[in-house]
Amino acid sequence: MERIRLTTAQALVKFLNQQYVDYGGGPERFVHGVFTVFGHGNVLGLGQALQEAPGELTVYQGRNEQGMVHAATAFAKQSRRRKIMACTASVGPGAANMLTAAATATANQIPVLLLPGDTFATRQPDPVLQQMEHTYNLSITVNDAFKAVSKYWDRVTRPEQLMSAMLNAMRVLTDPGDTGAVTIALPQDVQGEAWEYPADFFRKRIHRVIARLPHPQEIAAAAELIAGKQRPLLVCGGGVRYGDAGAALRAFAEKFAIPFGETQAGKSAVASSFEYNLGGIGVTGNGCANALAPEADLVIGVGTRFTDFTTASKSLFSHPEVEFLTLNASPYHAAKLDALAVVCDAAEGLNALAAALEERGYRSAYTAEIAQAKKSWAAERERLAGVEYPANTDNTGAFIPEVAGHLDEKLPEYAEVLGTSLTQTQVLGIINEAIPQDAIVIGAAGSLPGDMQRMWNSEVPDTYHMEYGFSCMGYEIAGALGIKLAEPGREVYALVGDGSYQMLHSELVTSLQENRKINVLLLDNAGFGCINNLQMEQGMESMATEFRHRGTDGQLSGELMRIDYAASAAGYGVQTFRASTVEELRTALAAARQSERSTLIDIKVLPKTMTHGYGAWWNVGVAEVSGKEAVQEAYDRKRSGLKTARSY
């Protein structure tokens, strides 16, 4: 048997270059590059291998370990999980910085390969720089923390272990039903150790991802269930997009007159204007989908995990005879809500189910309800997009924000300090109208995901990229870079709040380095507006969620902070704009579109002007005991909500 003498790191790089996937259209390279932040734990091992013989792998220089993994995750998500990036970091803090992003990838079931450096397998120099020591177990390192956030975890303590580790890594990375972050911990001494690897280990491997066909018995049972229902409702999840099932869902809905609501991951699988697309559903859903959901006697989940936001903590689907049917590639997710499960690829399941229902001559009993609900929501959306704050008049006190009763009396202060009269819903309406229809928008955290799931109209497939499985602050800008790497010919817009921007924006520098233009639309309301809403709605007073200086009372109750975010980005070399009026915003959007380098528009908006709830309850941890009457009332509302929600 022919053998090749290589270091562990060199063998790893050579192996990654030979991995291909085939979804039915022929083999395509699977691993497209490696994001790096080098340190003593990886630069002389994996770094040396990437410098000497990178093959087809592009090496990217990350600025923050969490940020580069977010970029890799977004790259894979936008590529519908058919292309991935690897990420390598040094030992200790370098590795630990990847944990949050690893959890983000796994929660969203997006494949990403993590290659953290590890402490010495020989233990000869222990404790090395940045090593964490546990006196009860010397085998534990920082990288053991990845076990909780990885779909597959391994540690290569001998060069020959690399073979089984990487074959299992590819198994999980190419599994549509159970993928996520894969972590292969690489002790820094083992990275440089050599072994004679069999040449066959480096042959071209084609991982054929075969669409899972539904079992005929499951389809028969599902068709029988649907045939007995009058008002079924589809829920379009991320599996519809990853499985290229948008056309199949559209045809199914049209053929049988069944409307569908969109999850954050499923949005833009089908055009918003399609007559049976109700838009966002659940806690961050709109008044259209949430109005029809309680009347549904059957809920058909397609490629969805049925999170608490989608189901309104299992309270939204409240018809007394409601039942659940799921089509999902994952047996685990298919079994949720005690549903009749059809384990399959989304498109294959919908097509098989359509054939069975067509034989029965089925059609739902909906008449004009769907069109009426969509018309009503269109009018509400138009109202939201037109909400104006009466600047420079004496009528500011008469203005009632969408989230009223919290900081109403402080709005004039915000308007003066931020120098703005813009409302958040107004800004979103302008952006949605102004940017190209084929542009990709990305978001993740704060109040923007709710506003976007409700208000954003997507007419081109795969143009709405929302990370809401983990709702990770800081994903947005790094994720925009990942999207741009996946789709270099399209404009990419990261919609981010001031809180998320402060948390992580370092990959702006990488976008400039790579000449990959991204656009950052930063909505600054001088605080963590989403959580301020939550605390005040549950009876608390505003605390540590507004960006204020420390006051004379010792609390964060002093003057509002006014931060020039455009100035911070300009220091990197980003082309920046400022907007506090409608005219300034429109002008900035037009100029940003013409720019050839990354841009940031610092948009000042008033707090409490985001969208509010539309008939969906959310179960949160309210204090059962409190001296405040408002908190006690909030706890009573929680108890009432639980009475109408499913227990499992």
Side-chain angles (χ1 to χ4, degrees):
M1 177 185 295
E2 181 186 357
R3 290 183 174 272
I4 305 174
R5 184 171 175 78
L6 297 168
T7 69
T8 304
Q10 291 164 358
L12 172 58
V13 171
K14 191 175 183 66
F15 175 85
L16 293 179
N17 271 285
Q18 291 296 93
Q19 305 309 301
Y20 291 76
V21 290
D22 187 350
Y23 278 77
E28 299 179 24
R29 283 183 54 234
F30 187 46
V31 187
H32 282 251
V34 183
F35 273 99
T36 64
V37 173
F38 284 130
H40 71 93
N42 65 344
V43 69
L44 300 179
L46 193 51
Q48 186 277 336
L50 287 167
Q51 182 186 61
E52 185 171 309
E56 297 297 316
L57 299 176
T58 302
V59 177
Y60 297 97
Q61 187 181 62
R63 264 65 195 181
N64 175 287
E65 292 90 352
Q66 182 186 149
M68 72 181 184
V69 180
H70 284 327
T73 301
F75 174 86
K77 180 180 172 74
Q78 192 63 33
S79 302
R80 289 169 293 129
R81 306 192 295 197
R82 299 180 181 192
K83 303 175 185 177
I84 69 165
M85 296 277 192
C87 299
T88 177
S90 189
V91 301
N97 273 350
M98 297 198 293
L99 283 167
T100 299
T104 302
T106 294
N108 288 277
Q109 297 188 266
I110 304 298
V112 62
L113 176 60
L114 306 180
L115 304 169
D118 212 332
T119 53
F120 274 64
T122 65
R123 301 188 188 172
Q124 183 277 323
D126 289 8
V128 299
L129 178 65
Q130 300 177 327
Q131 179 173 340
M132 183 175 292
E133 294 184 282
H134 289 275
T135 56
Y136 70 96
N137 188 336
L138 295 181
S139 70
I140 293 177
T141 76
V142 166
N143 290 340
D144 285 87
F146 283 95
K147 293 176 180 178
V149 294
S150 299
K151 283 291 186 176
Y152 179 78
W153 183 97
D154 207 343
R155 175 180 281 125
V156 177
T157 58
R158 292 176 59 89
E160 58 266 42
Q161 291 176 351
L162 180 72
M163 295 180 290
S164 61
M166 293 312 301
L167 291 174
N168 277 294
M170 290 299 137
R171 170 181 58 82
V172 175
L173 289 167
T174 59
D175 182 354
D178 198 29
T179 193
V182 167
T183 302
I184 307 297
L186 300 170
Q188 56 185 298
D189 53 343
V190 177
Q191 290 180 45
E193 292 176 0
W195 195 66
E196 292 187 353
Y197 289 90
D200 184 69
F201 178 59
F202 304 112
R203 64 177 170 82
K204 181 178 180 178
R205 278 186 168 80
I206 302 174
H207 305 274
R208 291 181 172 84
V209 184
I210 308 299
R212 185 163 183 171
L213 302 178
H215 195 283
Q217 292 182 2
E218 292 179 343
I219 289 296
E224 183 178 356
L225 176 61
I226 295 174
K229 298 294 185 177
Q230 298 293 307
R231 298 170 65 87
L233 174 71
L234 290 153
V235 177
C236 171
V240 175
R241 291 180 62 184
Y242 304 141
D244 280 336
L249 179 70
R250 179 185 176 112
F252 186 90
E254 194 166 35
K255 185 182 293 290
F256 306 110
I258 301 176
F260 61 87
E262 301 170 310
T263 70
Q264 291 279 19
K267 190 174 177 70
S268 81
V270 179
S272 299
S273 59
F274 177 55
E275 62 179 315
Y276 292 103
N277 186 351
L278 304 177
I281 193 168
V283 176
T284 52
N286 63 37
C288 176
N290 288 352
L292 292 184
E295 304 300 320
D297 54 7
L298 175 67
V299 177
I300 308 171
V302 186
T304 176
R305 297 186 301 124
F306 278 126
T307 67
D308 65 334
F309 263 53
T310 297
T311 67
S313 297
K314 299 185 176 69
S315 69
L316 184 61
F317 308 116
S318 55
H319 189 283
E321 298 177 7
V322 68
E323 295 183 78
F324 294 86
L325 166 65
T326 56
L327 308 179
N328 204 298
S330 164
Y332 174 80
H333 296 307
K336 288 179 176 176
L337 296 175
D338 204 17
L340 172 61
V342 181
V343 181
C344 63
D345 175 84
E348 296 291 345
L350 286 167
N351 291 336
L353 194 53
L357 289 174
E358 198 166 15
E359 288 182 1
R360 295 169 176 262
Y362 178 78
R363 192 170 176 84
S364 79
Y366 289 102
T367 53
E369 305 97 318
I370 299 170
Q372 289 172 354
K374 283 182 69 74
K375 181 178 180 181
S376 176
W377 174 250
E380 171 65 358
R381 183 191 177 281
E382 184 177 358
R383 182 193 71 81
L384 290 167
V387 172
E388 294 184 355
Y389 183 76
N392 302 320
T393 74
D394 295 328
N395 297 323
T396 55
F399 177 76
I400 301 176
E402 294 302 299
V403 185
H406 293 180
L407 302 175
D408 297 9
E409 73 285 356
K410 294 182 179 180
L411 285 181
E413 176 194 6
Y414 274 92
E416 180 180 357
V417 172
L418 295 179
T420 190
S421 60
L422 290 173
T423 67
Q424 186 158 306
T425 57
Q426 178 187 35
V427 165
L428 277 178
I430 292 170
I431 295 171
N432 198 179
E433 178 185 280
I435 69 173
Q437 282 199 338
D438 67 346
I440 301 165
V441 293
I442 176 175
S447 59
L448 282 170
D451 286 359
M452 292 177 70
Q453 191 182 12
R454 293 180 179 121
M455 290 187 64
W456 197 265
N457 287 333
S458 301
E459 293 304 313
V460 177
D462 295 331
T463 53
Y464 183 89
H465 182 121
M466 185 66 64
E467 187 287 290
Y468 215 60
F470 214 51
S471 188
C472 186
M473 294 177 69
Y475 176 87
E476 299 93 335
I477 294 172
L481 171 62
I483 294 171
K484 190 67 175 183
L485 293 174
E487 305 227 34
R490 300 168 79 175
E491 289 285 331
V492 180
Y493 293 83
L495 279 87
V496 59
D498 47 328
S500 280
Y501 180 84
Q502 290 183 42
M503 194 161 287
L504 183 61
H505 61 265
S506 54
E507 302 317 307
L508 264 172
V509 177
T510 310
S511 77
L512 294 169
Q513 180 183 38
E514 294 292 335
N515 196 28
R516 299 293 187 184
K517 178 200 172 188
I518 60 175
N519 304 284
V520 178
L521 306 179
L522 192 159
L523 278 69
D524 174 18
N525 61 11
F528 298 124
C530 174
I531 300 304
N532 182 273
N533 290 347
L534 178 62
Q535 66 181 180
M536 298 193 77
E537 284 171 357
Q538 304 304 322
M540 290 181 61
E541 296 176 1
S542 177
M543 184 186 82
T545 49
E546 298 176 78
F547 292 167
R548 293 181 176 275
H549 292 279
R550 193 163 298 280
T552 55
D553 59 358
Q555 305 301 316
L556 295 173
S557 57
E559 295 180 354
L560 280 171
M561 301 179 70
R562 192 184 195 284
I563 301 173
D564 190 342
Y565 294 103
S568 78
Y572 294 140
V574 173
Q575 185 170 358
T576 60
F577 309 89
R578 295 174 178 84
S580 57
T581 68
V582 169
E583 294 75 18
E584 289 174 348
L585 178 58
R586 293 189 188 278
T587 299
L589 286 167
R593 185 172 176 180
Q594 298 302 316
S595 177
E596 295 183 357
R597 70 178 191 269
S598 292
T599 70
L600 180 144
I601 306 178
D602 186 349
I603 309 168
K604 304 301 185 186
V605 298
L606 294 170
K608 305 298 175 178
T609 61
M610 62 283 285
T611 61
H612 204 25
Y614 285 89
W617 172 71
W618 187 31
N619 185 1
V620 291
V622 184
E624 187 171 355
V625 177
S626 172
K628 291 195 63 177
E629 184 178 350
V631 175
Q632 293 175 345
E633 292 173 352
Y635 182 74
D636 289 340
R637 291 196 299 271
K638 172 192 171 85
R639 291 182 62 187
S640 296
L642 284 170
K643 290 177 182 178
T644 60
R646 291 172 57 92
S647 298
Y648 65 96

